[in-house]
Amino acid sequence: MFEKYQAEVYAEYLKLKGTSIVLANPTPSSLRDEALTFQKNGREGAELLRFFSGNGEQNGKLDIDKFRPVQNFLIGKTNEPTIRVVEFVAWFINFQPRPFENWRNTERSGLDDVKVNEEGDGTADNTKEIEVPSFIGSLGERAVTQENIPTRLISEPENRIKKLNFLQRTGIVATLGLVMGVGYWKGIPPDGCMYWTGTEYKAVDCDAQIPNTQILALNQHKLDHFKKITLPDTMTFNSLTRVWYSKINNKVEFFTSKGEHPVITEKVLKPVTIHILGKYGNNKILSLTNTNQVDTTEKD
């Protein structure tokens, strides 16, 4: 459900893009300055700016670097923004309803209205044509509808389900219930969020409050496959095609999947090499490559 909220916020941004120089060409500094203007003018919800301050306080000095992920999201450089980034954009463009919790309640209320209208007084013709909410229809093949929109952000249903009888509708409801049940059984909340524990991603409810931790939109691949290697000295030559690394402030970390660094997201992980594997991982590999006169004089 958060993905749909993210898509609607981004679609609204695209509509407003041509109305403001800041929206047309967002930069960390222009986003910060405009946010301060909105805050001074009393825009509701300005307390979220504490996440963009250096000390985490509501009235603290805003850190320009913390607006870079917002810029990356708006220009389409990333399609996996954090909840805070999406909520900031929603606040920045005055998207309604917001925040996500209010939007979700409105969405669920709309679904309840659809259900009531379908059920009626129980005497309606079960073969009448009904329309399924678009986000259910889009569970099939998705299509990006505008240029330069990050993949998975804007999607439209390919088909509408028509003339469903009572048994078919019951089957759909049962299937959706089964999918949600499996999600709970695997520890994945239906709203689809996760956070980085320091060694791996864990599923969590989107409303969870974890101190000093970013709650992210759930990425099933990262949840299943992205982990930090805590015992690098156990790596072997087989790790050359299976491990990625980062080197930040002379500290090297190894991970089991490619992508961005889970904490410093502007850093992209690199495929591990024999040189890196031997120098910062398993020293035995370096000695073996030297014995066999393999050139490992590459740069870190």
Side-chain angles (χ1 to χ4, degrees):
M1 185 170 282
F2 181 77
E3 278 192 2
K4 187 168 185 284
Y5 175 70
Q6 174 182 323
E8 291 189 6
V9 170
Y10 193 83
E12 184 67 17
Y13 158 71
L14 291 177
K15 293 179 182 178
L16 301 174
K17 187 175 180 180
T19 65
S20 164
I21 295 178
V22 175
L23 294 179
N25 185 30
T27 65
S29 59
S30 66
L31 290 169
R32 180 202 59 181
D33 294 344
E34 191 79 347
L36 286 172
T37 299
F38 292 149
Q39 183 185 38
K40 290 178 181 178
N41 291 337
R43 176 168 294 183
E44 183 180 1
E47 61 271 10
L48 65 78
L49 291 180
R50 69 181 184 277
F51 296 119
F52 296 86
S53 67
N55 55 11
E57 295 180 359
Q58 182 171 343
N59 297 318
K61 184 177 181 180
L62 299 185
D63 186 347
I64 289 181
D65 288 338
K66 292 191 176 183
F67 289 89
R68 197 168 302 280
V70 179
Q71 178 195 33
N72 291 339
F73 173 52
L74 294 180
I75 66 178
K77 191 174 180 179
T78 179
N79 60 0
E80 295 181 358
T82 65
I83 286 181
R84 290 174 183 172
V85 167
V86 176
E87 293 289 32
F88 172 81
V89 173
W91 175 82
F92 194 84
I93 65 176
N94 205 18
F95 176 84
Q96 297 294 342
R98 67 172 194 271
F100 171 63
E101 183 178 356
N102 291 345
W103 176 90
R104 182 176 60 181
N105 291 337
T106 302
E107 192 78 4
R108 287 176 174 173
S109 177
L111 290 178
D112 289 340
D113 291 340
V114 170
K115 183 178 180 182
V116 170
N117 291 335
E118 288 182 0
E119 291 177 351
D121 59 3
T123 61
D125 181 2
N126 287 332
T127 63
K128 69 178 180 179
E129 181 176 321
I130 64 170
E131 291 187 0
V132 177
S134 61
F135 75 91
I136 295 179
S138 66
L139 289 177
E141 183 178 357
R142 297 185 175 184
V144 177
T145 60
Q146 296 189 31
E147 293 182 2
N148 299 325
I149 301 179
T151 305
R152 295 171 52 239
L153 281 185
I154 306 297
S155 60
E156 292 291 336
E158 291 293 322
N159 300 295
R160 291 184 178 180
I161 302 175
K162 297 182 177 181
K163 296 182 179 179
L164 299 182
N165 60 32
F166 175 76
L167 292 177
Q168 288 173 317
R169 280 183 285 172
T170 302
I172 291 175
V173 173
T175 300
L176 291 175
L178 177 62
V179 171
M180 294 178 67
V182 171
Y184 274 115
W185 175 69
K186 293 180 68 177
I188 301 174
D191 291 329
C193 288
M194 64 184 186
Y195 71 99
W196 177 249
T197 67
T199 58
E200 62 182 342
Y201 287 103
K202 288 287 187 181
V204 69
D205 189 270
C206 291
D207 294 330
Q209 299 291 329
I210 304 176
N212 302 317
T213 301
Q214 286 188 331
I215 305 299
L216 310 172
L218 188 142
N219 180 309
Q220 192 63 51
H221 180 80
K222 287 186 176 181
L223 191 68
D224 293 337
H225 303 290
F226 194 101
K227 301 181 187 299
K228 179 180 178 179
I229 298 175
T230 57
L231 298 174
D233 58 343
T234 62
M235 294 188 294
T236 67
F237 283 105
N238 291 332
S239 302
L240 288 173
T241 58
R242 302 176 182 177
V243 173
W244 285 257
Y245 79 98
S246 66
K247 186 177 183 182
I248 303 172
N249 296 327
N250 291 321
K251 180 181 179 181
V252 175
E253 296 176 295
F254 297 94
F255 301 90
T256 58
S257 185
K258 62 182 178 180
E260 301 169 341
H261 191 281
V263 179
I264 307 175
T265 55
E266 60 268 23
K267 297 292 185 180
V268 178
L269 304 181
K270 299 178 181 179
V272 74
T273 63
I274 292 180
H275 171 72
I276 296 296
L277 191 63
K279 184 175 181 180
Y280 300 101
N282 189 341
N283 293 330
K284 293 181 181 180
I285 292 177
L286 191 60
S287 62
L288 287 173
T289 54
N290 289 335
T291 301
N292 290 278
Q293 297 181 343
V294 176
D295 184 11
T296 62
T297 58
E298 60 182 293
K299 296 181 179 179
D300 293 354

